[in-house]
Amino acid sequence: MPLPRFLRAYYAYVFLFDFMLGYAIYTVYFQLSGLDVWGIALLFAIWSVVAAVFEIPSGALADHFDRRWQLMAAPLVKAGAFVIWALADGSFALFVLGFVVWSFADSLVSGCKQALLYEHMEAAGQTDEYDRVLGRDRAIVEISAGIALILGGIVGHFSMPLALWLAVPPLVLAAIIAFWLPDIRVRPEDGEDKPGYLSHFHEALGEFRRSANLRFITAYLTLGIMLFFVLSEFDPLYYLAVGMPIWSFGLIGALAIAAYAAANMSAHRFAGFHAGGWLFPLIGGCLLVIAGIAESAWLLIPLMMAYICGAPVWVLAETRFQQVMGGASRATTTSTMMFFHCVASIGMCLAIGGLAWAIGIIPAYGCCGVYLIAFSAWVWWRDRKGQRAF
């Protein structure tokens, strides 16, 4: 399959998989249904626990069977989460079930999608362009989410359940498009020995044992850059705390996402800027400290700028991760990295929720900034020892 044709189908899939109108309002939907900030943090932690349980087994499934069928199943499963929430009527148990379903869907696609993309680029002899394509991937995710945030905020202002229902049709279409995302790996001929399912676990663990760089990049993404993604789940609560109306949530998010998408698209330009591995988290941490000093709508500006600092380092570090691994069980190895992300995000969700409950949501953001500053100091020290994130 020619690479440009594959990429068109791939980008369409990426866009539709994250085109969820319900994303603009579901955190506030939970709060207005009676959950406090600690209950919402607990839901996010449950999401991470489920993802941790399924992440590596689903990656091994993607390595063992045709990747396409897993990509077709994931959006259909994800649509089920929004149906459950639309019917939940304030039930905490159904909120939990929705997160379980959504988390399982994301685990189906996470390692599988990155592995499929890298393999198509490797077959076309264009792995040097992987960071540029991955940046476009991330930008399309943000553009999709931005459009959905605007529409979801407007629809949610009138009917939050309707915003949840409208997440379903794009996901069904994504499942259809996945049929045009072929798995191009060479399969064993009839009669040849086929690696067993458990062999993918062994190969992935071997990759981490053999490569110190792989371990460092995983720690870098897991212990530091992951914080931006976990913290963003609490943003609607931050918006409420600084006095923003619900209808504005989508507009605020969309403006930030436009800048974030541009940062993703430009990430490849920083490929040779090794100091960015510690400098970008340091700047992001300082901006979060500023965002946590007062209840002011003006502090949304440093908050969004902090997220922009996290965009290029995520793209470039994940690109280096794909390049330094052997690739015999690429989806399983990538999912192993995602497993560590999930474990770390459990602690981050509970820590942010606990801080928000004890000292308030605004100061909790400032504490996250202090953490990132300390983390960037550790990355600087590792950089001096010869280990780099990208």
Side-chain angles (χ1 to χ4, degrees):
M1 187 178 191
L3 183 61
R5 181 182 170 190
F6 167 80
L7 288 177
R8 284 194 294 269
Y10 177 85
Y11 290 148
Y13 180 87
V14 167
F15 181 91
L16 291 167
F17 192 79
D18 282 283
F19 189 71
M20 304 171 293
L21 269 65
Y23 191 74
I25 53 87
Y26 77 91
T27 305
V28 176
Y29 176 68
F30 296 151
Q31 188 174 56
L32 296 180
S33 297
L35 293 186
D36 59 15
V37 66
W38 178 249
I40 294 171
L42 184 60
L43 286 176
F44 293 149
I46 291 170
W47 188 98
S48 298
V49 170
V50 175
V53 170
F54 288 111
E55 190 65 53
I56 300 178
S58 67
L61 284 174
D63 281 326
H64 199 64
F65 299 107
D66 193 316
R67 303 200 198 284
R68 172 165 41 189
W69 306 117
Q70 203 156 308
L71 292 175
M72 292 175 68
L76 298 178
V77 175
K78 188 174 182 178
F82 291 94
V83 172
I84 292 169
W85 286 342
L87 300 173
D89 193 27
S91 169
F92 181 76
L94 290 180
F95 290 155
V96 170
L97 179 60
F99 264 106
V100 169
V101 171
W102 187 351
S103 182
F104 176 63
D106 278 358
S107 69
L108 287 176
V109 78
S110 59
C112 179
K113 181 168 70 78
Q114 291 97 318
L116 184 73
L117 174 61
Y118 192 87
E119 287 157 359
H120 273 266
M121 297 198 67
E122 188 175 43
Q126 296 191 32
T127 54
D128 289 344
E129 294 292 309
Y130 183 78
D131 55 356
R132 186 190 299 267
V133 172
L134 186 61
R136 291 173 184 164
D137 175 328
R138 296 285 186 261
I140 288 171
V141 169
E142 299 304 327
I143 292 169
S144 171
I147 297 172
L149 279 172
I150 294 174
L151 297 176
I154 295 171
V155 173
H157 179 70
F158 297 99
S159 173
M160 289 190 178
L162 179 59
L164 297 173
W165 281 110
L166 288 177
V168 174
L171 290 167
V172 174
L173 185 56
I176 296 171
I177 289 177
F179 184 78
W180 284 275
L181 298 175
D183 188 338
I184 59 173
R185 291 173 298 165
V186 177
R187 298 290 179 176
E189 300 290 340
D190 291 339
E192 292 185 13
D193 290 336
K194 182 179 180 180
Y197 173 72
L198 295 179
S199 69
H200 300 294
F201 292 85
H202 177 76
E203 177 61 31
L205 293 175
E207 291 263 21
F208 281 95
R209 283 197 301 267
R210 292 188 296 268
S211 176
N213 285 328
L214 210 62
R215 295 193 299 271
F216 172 72
I217 296 167
T218 299
Y220 177 80
L221 290 170
T222 299
L223 299 177
I225 310 307
M226 186 69 185
L227 180 66
F228 289 111
F229 295 89
V230 175
L231 191 61
S232 67
E233 298 291 349
F234 294 87
D235 281 355
L237 304 182
Y238 186 98
Y239 302 161
L240 279 178
V242 298
M244 304 305 297
I246 291 176
W247 63 263
S248 70
F249 287 13
L251 294 175
I252 296 169
L255 289 173
I257 280 173
Y260 193 75
N264 277 298
M265 291 285 287
S266 302
H268 66 279
R269 301 180 185 278
F270 297 97
F273 183 47
H274 303 317
W278 60 265
L279 183 59
F280 283 124
L282 175 62
I283 296 172
C286 292
L287 289 167
L288 285 177
V289 170
I290 296 171
I293 61 177
E295 295 182 3
S296 170
W298 287 105
L299 294 182
L300 288 170
I301 296 174
L303 173 62
M304 299 310 167
M305 290 177 63
Y307 290 137
I308 291 170
C309 289
V313 291
W314 181 273
V315 171
L316 294 171
E318 187 173 321
T319 296
R320 181 162 167 76
F321 182 91
Q322 294 291 337
Q323 291 172 341
V324 300
M325 80 165 80
S329 295
R330 186 172 296 277
T332 311
T333 306
T334 305
S335 288
T336 302
M337 177 186 68
M338 298 303 296
F339 165 80
F340 291 121
H341 288 188
C342 296
V343 172
S345 68
I346 295 169
M348 290 178 181
C349 285
L350 295 176
I352 295 170
L355 282 169
W357 178 78
I359 63 177
I361 190 69
I362 304 293
Y365 274 66
C367 291
C368 290
V370 173
Y371 172 82
L372 273 178
I373 292 171
F375 170 79
S376 65
W378 174 75
V379 178
W380 173 82
W381 175 68
R382 296 311 305 169
D383 183 73
R384 301 274 291 183
K385 297 290 185 180
Q387 285 188 313
R388 60 184 179 87
F390 52 83

